[in-house]
Amino acid sequence: MATIPGPGAHVLVAGGGVTGPAVARALLRLGAVVTVADGKPAAREKIAGEVPGIVVADLDGHDPSGYDLVVVAPGFRPTAPVVVAAEAAGVEVIGDVELAWRIDRSGAFGAPRDWLVVTGTNGKTTTTQMLESILLHAGVRAVACGNIGRPVIDAIGDDADPRVLAVELSSFQLHWAPSVRPRAGVVLNVAEDHLDWHGSMAAYTADKARALSGELAVIGLDDPVASGLRGEVTVGFTTGTPGPGEYGVREGVLVDGAGAPVLPADAVSPPGPAGIADGLAATALAQAVGVTAAQAGEALAAFRVGAHRAEPVATVRGITYIDDSKATNPHAALNSIEAHERVVWVAGGQLKGADIAPLVQRVAPRLVGAVLLGLDRDEIAGSLARHAPDVPVVRVSSGEHSPVSPMTNDANRSVGTTGAGDVRVSGDADAVMAAVVAEASRIAEAAAHDGAAPVVLLAPAAASLDMFTSYGHRGDAFAASARALGDAS
């Protein structure tokens, strides 16, 4: 078993953001000498105030060769200078989840816990929340942690001493956690995402598959990539009729691997195939620690999805506005759009190397309009022009970032080279979103007929950090702008 840093060990924590303080506190508890390095002065100042007893340094140019261990924040790429320099000096580089696993297995923070790991391109957070709800309903001392918000290393140091961890892990976290062997783990699905970080779809898939390295591997059978993965013992789930030993839906009821009923499919929240799949996955993981089908069903019946996940936020003049800002890649946006017959699509941001064309081709018949924002709006507009040429498209940006194109009579509008209309806005990201929602509303009202209007759906298919502080900020801006339409009417 890999060792943990002992008293006097010199450890460099690279990155003082979300996980940095938690890692530093845990290392100090072990007696290590801790240096936290970050390239941002504000981050260094913040962590110095939060965690007494550490050394704080500028990450830029910092030499890792004199340390016994380097613990990197999840977003650090394998090609990051500090990683390359550490490995060249023979210093091991791991992530916070790997450190948490080693500490947990060692018993340094109490008896080892059961880890139930959730990963996938989409649905991770909903599944993890469902799993935590099921475990708590069944009387299990459990906590959700990891990519869902609370660092795993904080969870294992909790005075409440949870015995089961519902651990959401991203591909980044799994990459830096090679030793993790959970009691059970699930790969919900695998679609193009973060290819700019991993370098290839094969590398991305391999990191996701690390969730299946423990006692029980749970796989999404409806996904072409996840369905091909295997573990020591493998069980699958499907939103269709299950085969022997599989979780699925039979005669409108979710059933477990033994065929026992869980709950009616129409009682699952969020509704639709994605919610059903997440519920089945959560049930399979919970049953690995002794939860019954009936207990899982009772918990799922009471479960409600969190914010920014296909959340209706306003209805104004018969048009429903739906915030699915968490749909940060094309695969997630596909699930979101396909839940509606007619959609004004609000999309854009950072595509992170993902190909948007397959999504556009698939959902084109449902689109009555698209309003685009963010870094890669032109790429989405180009794909719409090729694969959905009859769909009206508007691109919205702050003036200094708008594409150069011939002006029409409207001083704020132009016609871009892709055939999309451009709207230029003076102001910050919130002002851009307000203009986006106004344009989407205009298209939706024009497309309404026989008393039925399309939904306006924020399902960006892209990350948010080019404009917003988080996907939550993006969703909040969308919701506020939609509600403001009602206030102004």
Side-chain angles (χ1 to χ4, degrees), residues 315-319 321 441 445 453 485-486 488-489:
T315 300
V316 181
R317 295 187 291 277
I319 299 167
Y321 295 79
S441 174
E445 288 182 0
L485 292 175
S489 61

Side-chain angles (χ1 to χ4, degrees), residues 120-135:
T121 304
N122 301 301
K124 296 186 295 295
T125 298
T126 299
T127 302
T128 305
Q129 291 173 332
M130 286 177 165
L131 175 58
E132 182 189 42
S133 295
I134 292 170
L135 294 169

